[in-house]
Amino acid sequence: MSEKDVQDYLTSGLYGAPQTKPEERNKFLGNLRERVYVSMTPEELVSKNYLTALQTEMEQHPDAQLLLNGSIDSSEFSPYIKLCNQHTTQFTIVTNQFASKSPFALLLVAKEAVDSAVIDIAEKYPVTETPVEEPEKKSLLKRLFS
């Protein structure tokens, strides 16, 4: 063995195998951006407005896996775990060093690169809210003399 090989062997023994794109792995719960179908922030996860959108993505990608950020309250995950069970989608609650560093609460990922152009669920499936019409307010005179 050459001196470089010995040094590499010792370094990987002490610190673990070197990883590609560590900043990207920190952001995407230990995964790479190119493998992500769709992502949710903690606010989107708590709102539960995107359950049907996630269901659509699960139906389109039956081989996908759901990654849940372990630093989020686990009671928020129950509708998403039920959805995984309905679609026989595997899920993992990530509780390692990536969970605290990630801005995402949920990621639907593939085993290999898919390179989706848009991964933000709010951008991919915008929620359309119907405006609530307020009743016309009558002035005091109109209410008195009607």
Side-chain angles (χ1 to χ4, degrees), residues 50-107:
Y50 298 100
L51 271 170
T52 55
L54 184 62
Q55 181 176 0
T56 302
E57 286 288 325
M58 285 180 174
E59 289 168 357
Q60 290 175 359
H61 311 291
D63 61 333
Q65 179 183 10
L66 194 71
L67 299 178
L68 301 165
N69 191 330
S71 64
I72 309 290
D73 184 22
S74 61
S75 64
E76 301 294 340
F77 295 146
S78 74
Y80 301 98
I81 292 173
K82 287 178 187 175
L83 193 61
C84 285
N85 291 334
Q86 290 173 357
H87 293 282
T88 62
T89 300
Q90 294 180 352
F91 69 91
T92 303
I93 299 176
V94 179
T95 57
N96 55 16
Q97 77 272 14
F98 303 121
S100 61
K101 296 177 183 177
S102 178
F104 299 111
L106 178 148
L107 295 172

Side-chain angles (χ1 to χ4, degrees), residues 1 8 23 25 30 45 51 54 62 77 79 93 120 124 130-131:
M1 280 178 109
D8 289 343
E23 314 82 37
R25 289 184 184 273
L45 180 107
L51 271 170
L54 184 62
F77 295 146
I93 299 176
D120 182 26
K124 205 170 190 178
T130 56

